[in-house]
Amino acid sequence: MENENRGDNRPPQRKHFNFSNCTKNTIKSLNEVEYFLNNLKNFKRYIHLYKFFKK
């Protein structure tokens, strides 16, 4: 009678794929990457100017 644990080990339910939510998250991620790369370009420019004026 030790093996009467029926129903305790149920597999987790699968989540439904939400296409609109996925596209919103993808667009948001792409915008964040674009913002970061634009700031990185400006940061490189400031570093270059700093090194130029430091000499």
Side-chain angles (χ1 to χ4, degrees), residues 33-43:
V33 169
E34 183 181 8
Y35 179 77
F36 172 76
L37 292 176
N38 286 334
N39 285 340
L40 185 66
K41 184 173 27 171
N42 291 335
F43 182 72

Side-chain angles (χ1 to χ4, degrees), residues 27-55:
I27 291 171
K28 183 178 178 183
S29 297
L30 288 174
N31 287 336
E32 289 175 352
V33 169
E34 183 181 8
Y35 179 77
F36 172 76
L37 292 176
N38 286 334
N39 285 340
L40 185 66
K41 184 173 27 171
N42 291 335
F43 182 72
K44 285 182 182 179
R45 188 179 308 150
Y46 293 133
I47 295 297
H48 180 71
L49 286 174
Y50 176 75
K51 288 181 179 179
F52 178 76
F53 287 122
K54 188 177 179 182
K55 292 183 181 181

Side-chain angles (χ1 to χ4, degrees), residues 1-9:
M1 297 300 160
E2 294 176 11
N3 294 333
E4 289 195 30
N5 293 332
R6 292 179 284 177
D8 290 344
N9 296 329

